[in-house]
């Protein structure tokens, strides 16, 4: 600016990013003898910014902290601070400030700024495009970033560490820049030479006598030496994993009583074959035992009660990990520890702390110091996140009620009950406990996330020489009270937790229609359910050419009414369900039921059904990880033949079966046990028996067991129960014409979740299964089982329900077959095994 006299107030500041500007006042350099008084306060008239490409002038002014009209000194702290702020943004390589005009007591400044260059392109010259794209996405560097020394160093370290985690310890990264095509830009060229993967040849452990090398190496989960045949865990060296594994060695010693064990030295030794040895030296120390264990401060529970719950005795091997878990918990919701013992009694503010009080020879005395405080009362309970489900549907399931004492168990149970509704993502039910120590109260806020709970089934296909069409609608959060409320149709009245189901299926050989409705809280005050269902099925005969013959038919229609109630005894996981049902079977020239000697006529089935069940499985109903689901059911008709004097030995079948009579007993039990990581073991045992009152009548031609295959009930409404047993054809283990009168089944299945997101829950399974069907009690042999093994996958999507596929191998022959069943593929829709 040759026409304007300037004074160069600030010389070049350091280009190093992050460098702090000197604390002392900025020196003044007079170039054209523009007169100003050093140290005098001036009014900042205005200031301009020159040299900008990326940033606006106003943005830089704001960030400098200087404002028009402010008082400043030349030189002075305010000007120094402004320059410091601009450098600390890591966006500028040079900041110069000039005094361009002096009007009395008013000074005008000009900032000349050099922006750091921006990244135009990121290139990996020695890598392919796909790999380069992946590496670019993984790092924090991106186009448009300002090129700073810190960015270069951070990027270089990122790629080095990335490859080191995969065992490439000698990875070299070089980063260069070249001028970009756009103004003030550069291209960044990243050269990566990962070298060879460095494997761990040997892990040498010195100083151990009580625990073997093999056992200690086994505890090192992520640091393994080379071993032939082990493909699931590579022998790579990762520094962070190695550090964790060294801590695991100390932990295993601590669990064995060696509380003084330490790693005294560790070395990495490079071998000529480009492998490394890890040399670990340790000192075990001596083994300790529990001495006296005393409880201090307890009034709610006696020493005997606490000792029984602690489950540690004088003379036991000292284990600090177990001591901590027995006192404060192991991190799981069902942890049995002293802290939880108090929490379940309302003592939210209690504090239980184990303290080592004395170490004598090899014994350690421990005091369990307890500060009980007063119990906490629940003040408020709230729920958020339920956008479709009405509040009362959730509140009625909660075990945490205002006015009750706080209980950790009640919170866990409440989470399970909300999850069991099926309307919310079971993995995202979060209780927020908000204690108020002043008045000894607590507020509990449950956060939920709605998921789709209704399902639609719309499918068509060709099978059995006929097109089959199916339409099914299941609304599992229905609100029948809003049925005539126009504004509630979004698209249907929802939110009251009721279940409404409609299903239609039709082909040229049969048609089925069914309707059901369930109100889980009849009256809205107690958990008593009401269920209603009606259905109809028409089946037609067929000719030798597989054409439909409507002159032959079986028409089944029926209805049922059920009442259910949650019980408080033996505990509140029990439920009693009772129902009455009526079915009518009308035969018209229909000869497909071989156990009936007549083809025209009608049979009636009036029955009473009672089921006692206990279901504690959960908390996620799609993927239970603990608990059990056990039920015992009885179904029977009146013993008509015992209430009259008729002779049934000579009676025609059409008269004999006019009113069906039988009794059925069914037992089913599933247990869910967490194994390791996320793997859950499901074990299942079940059996069923159909009996009769009068031997002259014998077994009912209906209400049989159909065993084998995928377990899909298809279109049966004759009371038959379809029992899945993978590895065999559908119904292949039962009498194909009539079905069995007894069955048993056993399953052991390991499950592993891939994802449990509300949009789709996916898990894989591996299973062993065995079972069989029997025609009568005399043929029953609990050890004569048809065995199978296989694997499969399950996908649960809210809109479609449970879908899956299993590949199973049947090891035994089907009845009447000459070869074993072999491999079978089963498609699973809507039911669990």
């Amino acid at each position: 600016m040759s026409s304007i006299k300037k004074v160069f107030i600030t010389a070049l500041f350091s280009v190093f990013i992050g460098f702090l500007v000197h604390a002392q006042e900025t020196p003044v350099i007079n170039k054209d003898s523009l007169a100003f008084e050093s140290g005098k306060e001036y009014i900042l008239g205005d200031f301009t910014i020159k040299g900008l490409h990326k940033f606006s002038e106003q943005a830089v002014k704001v960030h400098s902290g200087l404002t028009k009209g402010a008082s400043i000194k030349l030189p002075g702290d305010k000007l120094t601070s402004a320059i410091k702020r601009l450098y600390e943004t890591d966006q500028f390589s040079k900041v110069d400030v000039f005094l361009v005009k002096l009007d009395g007591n008013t000074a005008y400044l000009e900032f000349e700024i050099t922006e750091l260059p921006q990244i135009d392109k990121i290139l990996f010259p020695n890598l392919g495009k796909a790999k380069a794209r992946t590496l670019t996405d993984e790092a924090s560097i991106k186009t448009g970033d300002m090129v700073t020394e810190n960015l270069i160093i951070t990027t270089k370290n990122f790629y080095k560490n990335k490859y080191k985690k995969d065992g490439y310890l000698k990875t070299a990264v070089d980063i260069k820049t070249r001028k970009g095509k756009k103004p003030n830009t550069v291209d960044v060229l990243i050269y990566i030479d990962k070298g060879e993967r460095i494997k761990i040849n040997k892990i040498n452990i010195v100083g151990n006598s009580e625990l073997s090398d093999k056992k200690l190496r086994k505890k090192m989960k992520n640091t393994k030496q080379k071993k032939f045949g082990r493909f699931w865990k590579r022998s790579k060296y990762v520094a962070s994993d190695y550090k964790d594994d060294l801590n695991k060695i100390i932990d295993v010693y601590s669990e064995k009583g060696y509380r003084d064990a330490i790693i005294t030295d560790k070395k990495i030794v490079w071998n000529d074959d480009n492998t490394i040895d890890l040399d670990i030296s340790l000192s075990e120390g001596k083994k300790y035992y529990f001495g006296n264990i005393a409880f201090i401060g307890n009034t709610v529970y006696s020493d005997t009660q606490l000792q029984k719950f602690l489950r540690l005795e004088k003379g036991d091997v000292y284990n600090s990990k177990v001591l901590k878990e027995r006192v404060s918990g192991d991190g799981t919701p069902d942890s049995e520890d002293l802290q939880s013992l108090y929490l379940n009694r309302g003592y939210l503010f209690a504090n239980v702390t184990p303290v080592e009080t004395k170490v004598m020879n090899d014994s350690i005395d421990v005091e369990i110091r307890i500060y009980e405080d007063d119990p906490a009362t629940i003040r408020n309970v709230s729920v958020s996140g339920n956008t479709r489900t009405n509040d009362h549907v959730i509140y009625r399931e909660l075990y945490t009620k205002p006015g009750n004492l706080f209980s950790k168990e009640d919170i866990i149970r409440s989470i399970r009950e909300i999850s069991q509704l099926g309307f919310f993502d079971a993995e995202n039910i979060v209780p927020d406990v908000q204690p108020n120590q002043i008045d000894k109260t607590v507020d509990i806020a449950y956060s939920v996330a709605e998921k789709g709970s209704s399902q639609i089934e719309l499918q068509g296909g060709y099978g059995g020489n006929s097109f089959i069409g199916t339409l099914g609608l299941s609304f599992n959060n229905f609100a029948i009270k809003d049925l005539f409320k126009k504004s509630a149709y979004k698209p249907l009245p929802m939110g009251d937790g009721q279940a409404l189901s409609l299903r239609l299926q039709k082909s040229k050989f049969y048609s089925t229609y069914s309707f059901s409705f369930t109100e889980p809280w009849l009256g809205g005050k107690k958990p008593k359910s009401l269920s209603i269902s009606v259905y109809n099925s028409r089946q037609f005969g067929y000719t030798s050419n597989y054409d439909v013959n409507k002159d032959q038919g079986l028409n089944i229609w029926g209805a049922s009414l059920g009442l259910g109630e949650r019980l408080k005894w033996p505990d509140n996981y029990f439920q009693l369900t009772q129902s009455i049902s009526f079915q009518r079977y009308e035969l018209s020239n229909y000869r497909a039921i071989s156990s009936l000697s007549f083809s025209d006529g009608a049979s009636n089935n009036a029955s009473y059904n009672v089921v006692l069940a206990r279901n504690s499985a959960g908390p996620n109903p799609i993927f239970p990880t603990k608990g059990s689901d056990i039920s015992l059911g009885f179904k029977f008709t009146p013993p008509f033949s015992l209430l009259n004097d008729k002779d049934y030995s000579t009676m025609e079948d059409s008269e004999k079966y006019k009113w069906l009579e039988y009794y059925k007993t069914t037992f089913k039990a599933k247990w869910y046990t967490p194994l390791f990581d996320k793997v859950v073991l499901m074990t299942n045992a079940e059996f069923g028996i159909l009996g009769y009152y009068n031997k002259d009548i014998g077994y009912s031609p209906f209400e049989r067991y159909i065993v084998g295959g995928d377990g899909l009930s298809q279109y049966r409404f004759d009371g038959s129960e379809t029992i899945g047993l993978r590895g065999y054809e559908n119904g292949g283990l039962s009498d194909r014409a009539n079905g069995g009168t007894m069955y048993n089944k056993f399953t052991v299945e390991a499950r592993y979740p891939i994802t449990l997101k509300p949009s789709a829950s996916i898990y894989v399974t591996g299973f062993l299964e065995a079972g069989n069907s029997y025609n009568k009690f005399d043929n029953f042999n609990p050890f004569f089982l048809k065995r199978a093994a296989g694997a499969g996958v399950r996908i649960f999507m809210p809109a479609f329900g449970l879908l899956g596929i299993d590949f199973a191998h049947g090891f035994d022959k089907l009845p009447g077959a000459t070869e074993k069943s072999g491999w079978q593929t089963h498609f699973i829709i809507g039911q669990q095994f």
Side-chain angles (χ1 to χ4, degrees):
M1 300 179 64
S2 57
S3 61
I4 302 176
K5 293 183 178 180
K6 302 179 181 179
V7 175
F8 191 28
I9 298 180
T10 59
L12 290 179
F13 282 75
S14 174
V15 180
F16 289 120
I17 301 305
F19 178 81
L20 298 179
V21 180
H22 296 299
Q24 65 265 27
E25 292 185 339
T26 308
V28 178
I29 302 175
N30 287 321
K31 295 185 72 175
D32 296 324
S33 300
L34 185 61
F36 71 93
E37 295 183 31
S38 179
K40 177 184 175 181
E41 285 197 357
Y42 289 88
I43 301 300
L44 180 59
D46 201 358
F47 64 103
T48 57
I49 311 293
K50 302 295 183 181
L52 296 176
H53 296 280
K54 178 181 179 181
F55 302 100
S56 67
E57 182 176 8
Q58 184 59 31
V60 177
K61 283 185 175 182
V62 171
H63 205 84
S64 71
L66 296 177
T67 57
K68 183 178 179 180
S71 60
I72 61 171
K73 292 181 180 181
L74 301 178
D77 292 340
K78 289 184 179 180
L79 192 56
T80 301
S81 296
I83 298 169
K84 179 180 177 181
R85 288 192 193 98
L86 294 177
Y87 272 117
E88 287 177 342
T89 64
D90 286 342
Q91 305 292 336
F92 310 109
S93 62
K94 184 179 179 183
V95 180
D96 293 337
V97 183
F98 296 91
L99 177 63
V100 295
K101 182 180 178 181
L102 198 58
D103 185 6
N105 201 38
T106 303
Y108 296 84
L109 304 178
E110 179 182 277
F111 281 67
E112 281 195 5
I113 288 178
T114 301
E115 293 180 347
L116 287 168
Q118 292 179 257
I119 299 176
D120 186 23
K121 295 180 181 179
I122 302 172
L123 305 171
F124 293 82
N126 59 340
L127 298 176
K129 289 183 179 180
K131 185 64 176 178
R133 191 180 303 113
T134 301
L135 291 175
T136 302
D137 293 341
E138 290 177 345
S140 58
I141 189 172
K142 59 184 181 296
T143 57
D145 285 348
M146 295 291 194
V147 180
T148 66
E149 185 176 350
N150 182 60
L151 180 67
I152 298 297
I153 294 172
T154 301
T155 302
K156 186 179 293 188
N157 289 337
F158 172 82
Y159 287 120
K160 281 185 176 180
N161 291 330
K162 170 185 168 56
Y163 282 99
K164 282 182 178 179
K165 288 180 180 180
D166 290 329
Y168 298 96
L169 302 186
K170 294 185 177 181
T171 297
V173 180
D174 187 24
I175 299 179
K176 297 180 179 179
T177 60
R178 70 185 183 195
K179 188 175 181 181
K181 293 183 178 180
K182 299 176 183 178
N184 199 41
T185 63
V186 296
D187 295 337
V188 176
L189 291 81
I190 304 175
Y191 298 87
I192 298 178
D193 180 9
K194 64 182 183 181
E196 296 182 10
R197 189 192 299 273
I198 307 300
K199 295 185 177 182
I200 302 172
N201 177 58
K202 190 74 174 176
I203 299 176
N204 302 307
I205 304 175
V206 178
N208 56 310
S209 58
E210 297 298 325
L211 297 176
S212 67
D213 290 4
K214 183 178 180 180
K215 187 166 186 176
L216 293 177
R217 291 193 193 106
K218 188 176 181 180
K219 290 294 180 180
M220 302 174 71
K221 300 298 183 182
N222 296 306
T223 309
K224 300 291 185 181
Q225 65 184 21
K226 286 197 304 183
K227 182 179 180 181
F228 179 77
R230 187 183 63 232
F231 57 87
W232 59 91
K233 180 69 71 173
R234 294 178 176 176
S235 59
K236 63 182 181 180
Y237 173 84
V238 179
S240 58
D241 289 344
Y242 182 44
K243 182 178 179 181
D244 291 341
D245 284 334
L246 291 177
N247 290 332
K248 287 184 175 68
I249 291 178
I250 299 303
D251 289 343
V252 70
Y253 269 105
S254 179
E255 291 168 16
K256 298 294 183 181
Y258 297 90
R259 66 190 290 271
D260 297 334
I262 58 171
I263 303 294
T264 58
D265 193 20
K266 56 183 185 294
K267 294 178 180 178
I268 299 177
V269 180
W270 287 87
N271 301 315
D272 295 336
D273 60 355
N274 213 29
T275 62
I276 60 173
D277 290 345
L278 300 178
D279 293 346
I280 303 171
S281 299
L282 57 84
S283 172
E284 293 179 330
K286 63 182 178 181
K287 191 171 187 176
Y288 289 89
Y289 299 87
F290 280 104
N292 296 316
I293 302 175
F295 298 94
I296 308 297
N298 53 305
T299 61
V300 178
Y301 296 101
S302 66
D303 288 5
T304 302
Q305 289 174 310
L306 294 176
Q307 182 65 48
K308 185 177 179 180
F309 214 78
L310 184 65
R311 306 186 305 281
L312 291 173
E313 302 284 348
K314 182 178 181 180
D316 290 349
V317 173
Y318 187 82
N319 188 330
S320 59
K321 179 183 177 183
V322 170
L323 176 63
K324 182 179 178 181
E325 289 177 352
R326 301 278 173 84
V327 171
S328 304
D330 58 10
T332 63
D334 297 325
S335 174
E336 296 185 354
D337 56 88
L338 298 182
Q339 190 74 52
S340 295
L341 189 65
Y342 275 93
L343 288 173
N344 292 332
R345 188 95 173 251
Y347 290 87
L348 175 60
F349 306 106
N351 186 26
V352 185
T353 308
V355 179
E356 295 179 0
T357 57
K358 184 179 180 182
V359 179
M360 179 66 72
N361 297 323
D362 62 353
S363 295
I364 300 176
D365 292 346
V366 175
E367 282 185 358
I368 310 297
R369 297 177 181 176
I370 303 171
Y371 173 70
E372 294 177 336
D373 209 336
D374 295 325
T377 303
I378 299 174
R379 182 174 61 180
N380 295 314
V381 178
S382 61
V383 177
S384 62
N386 51 315
T387 55
R388 289 190 298 271
T389 305
N390 295 323
D391 288 349
H392 72 272
V393 174
I394 305 174
Y395 284 123
R396 68 193 185 190
E397 300 293 341
L398 299 180
Y399 281 73
T400 51
K401 307 285 187 183
N404 289 356
L405 287 179
F406 175 85
S407 171
K408 175 185 171 183
E409 282 181 337
D410 286 348
I411 291 179
I412 295 171
R413 181 66 185 275
S414 297
I415 292 172
R416 178 192 179 275
E417 296 306 317
I418 295 174
S419 175
Q420 292 295 310
L421 289 172
F423 311 150
F424 308 102
D425 176 15
E427 303 300 311
N428 282 305
I429 301 173
V430 181
D432 181 15
V433 179
Q434 305 162 5
N436 186 349
Q437 193 160 6
I438 296 175
D439 60 3
K440 307 303 179 187
T441 62
V442 58
D443 296 336
I444 304 174
Y446 293 92
S447 173
V448 299
E450 294 262 14
K451 69 174 185 179
S453 56
S454 298
Q455 285 132 31
I456 182 171
E457 180 186 1
L458 182 61
Q459 62 183 20
Y462 189 84
N465 294 288
S466 171
F467 177 82
I468 303 171
T470 303
L471 173 63
L473 299 172
S474 297
F475 307 107
N476 296 319
N477 194 4
F478 196 68
I480 198 169
K481 67 178 177 61
D482 296 330
L483 195 61
F484 301 104
K485 188 176 181 181
K486 186 177 180 180
S487 60
Y489 282 78
K490 300 178 182 178
L492 288 170
M494 305 293 284
D496 274 354
Q498 298 157 347
L500 178 69
S501 176
L502 296 163
R503 195 170 192 273
L504 298 87
Q505 188 174 64
K506 189 173 179 61
S507 77
K508 70 179 183 180
F509 295 113
Y510 68 87
S511 63
T512 64
Y513 310 91
S514 65
F515 167 83
S516 66
F517 173 78
T518 301
E519 166 57 71
W521 283 67
L522 185 62
K525 294 182 178 180
K526 293 184 178 181
K528 295 183 177 181
S529 63
L530 169 69
S531 60
I532 302 170
S533 67
V534 293
Y535 47 87
N536 174 257
S537 173
R538 295 181 63 87
Q539 303 171 37
F540 300 104
Y542 51 87
T543 66
S544 57
N545 296 325
Y546 291 100
D547 291 326
V548 64
N549 183 357
K550 292 192 175 182
D551 292 332
Q552 301 176 1
L554 170 64
N555 184 31
I556 305 173
W557 61 270
S560 68
L561 175 67
L563 292 173
E565 181 180 6
R566 296 185 196 174
L567 305 178
K568 296 181 179 180
W569 185 89
D571 64 30
N572 53 20
Y573 286 106
F574 277 85
Q575 181 164 333
L576 180 68
T577 304
Q578 304 175 74
S579 65
I580 55 174
S581 63
F582 177 80
Q583 291 172 307
R584 182 172 175 82
Y585 308 93
E586 298 174 344
L587 289 82
S588 176
N589 194 27
Y590 193 78
R591 300 181 180 277
I593 304 176
S594 63
S595 59
L596 295 177
S597 62
F598 66 96
S599 59
D600 288 282
S603 290
N604 300 290
N605 182 1
S607 63
Y608 170 76
N609 189 25
V610 57
V611 178
L612 180 64
R614 185 184 189 275
N615 183 4
S616 62
N620 188 334
I622 306 302
F623 189 81
T625 57
K626 61 180 181 179
S628 60
D629 185 1
I630 303 172
S631 66
L632 178 62
F634 300 94
K635 184 178 182 180
F636 55 89
T637 65
F640 298 107
S641 65
L642 303 181
L643 302 176
N644 56 51
D645 296 328
K646 295 180 180 180
D647 183 4
Y648 284 83
S649 62
T650 59
M651 190 178 292
E652 295 289 335
D653 279 4
S654 58
E655 180 66 21
K656 184 186 298 184
Y657 294 122
K658 189 172 184 178
W659 286 94
L660 300 179
E661 60 176 52
Y662 59 87
Y663 61 86
K664 284 177 79 171
T665 302
T666 304
F667 173 80
K668 297 181 179 181
K670 292 181 180 179
W671 295 270
Y672 301 92
T673 307
L675 294 182
F676 55 88
D677 193 17
K678 298 178 182 179
V679 178
V680 175
L681 182 69
M682 187 279 289
T683 50
N684 172 65
E686 55 185 275
F687 72 85
I689 180 171
L690 173 68
Y692 55 81
Y693 303 118
N694 190 327
K695 66 179 181 178
D696 292 331
I697 297 177
Y699 294 106
S700 168
F702 304 104
E703 300 288 337
R704 301 293 184 97
Y705 298 107
I706 312 300
V707 181
D710 52 32
L712 296 179
S713 60
Q714 299 175 355
Y715 57 88
R716 290 183 178 274
F717 283 104
D718 60 359
S720 298
E721 292 185 44
T722 304
I723 311 299
L725 204 158
R726 293 162 286 188
Y728 298 91
E729 296 178 4
N730 287 352
L733 298 179
S734 300
D735 185 305
R736 291 187 178 274
N738 303 309
T741 62
M742 290 188 67
Y743 87 95
N744 57 356
K745 175 185 170 183
F746 307 94
T747 305
V748 177
E749 181 173 282
R751 300 176 173 182
Y752 182 83
I754 304 300
T755 177
L756 295 176
K757 294 182 179 179
S759 57
S761 296
I762 305 173
Y763 63 89
V764 294
T765 70
F767 56 85
L768 301 173
E769 204 155 61
N772 209 346
S773 173
Y774 311 90
N775 291 332
K776 55 184 178 178
F777 186 78
D778 293 342
N779 297 334
F780 176 68
N781 182 347
F783 304 105
F784 182 62
L785 302 175
K786 304 297 184 180
R787 302 158 299 162
V793 62
R794 297 290 182 274
I795 303 174
F796 180 86
M797 293 184 289
F800 301 101
L802 187 68
L803 307 173
I805 185 171
D806 286 325
F807 302 96
H809 185 84
F811 297 105
D812 299 297
K813 301 174 185 177
L814 289 170
T818 58
E819 296 181 356
K820 66 179 183 180
S821 178
W823 284 103
Q824 301 283 336
T825 301
H826 304 287
F827 294 95
I828 312 302
I829 302 175
Q831 93 282 343
Q832 295 266 22
F833 276 88

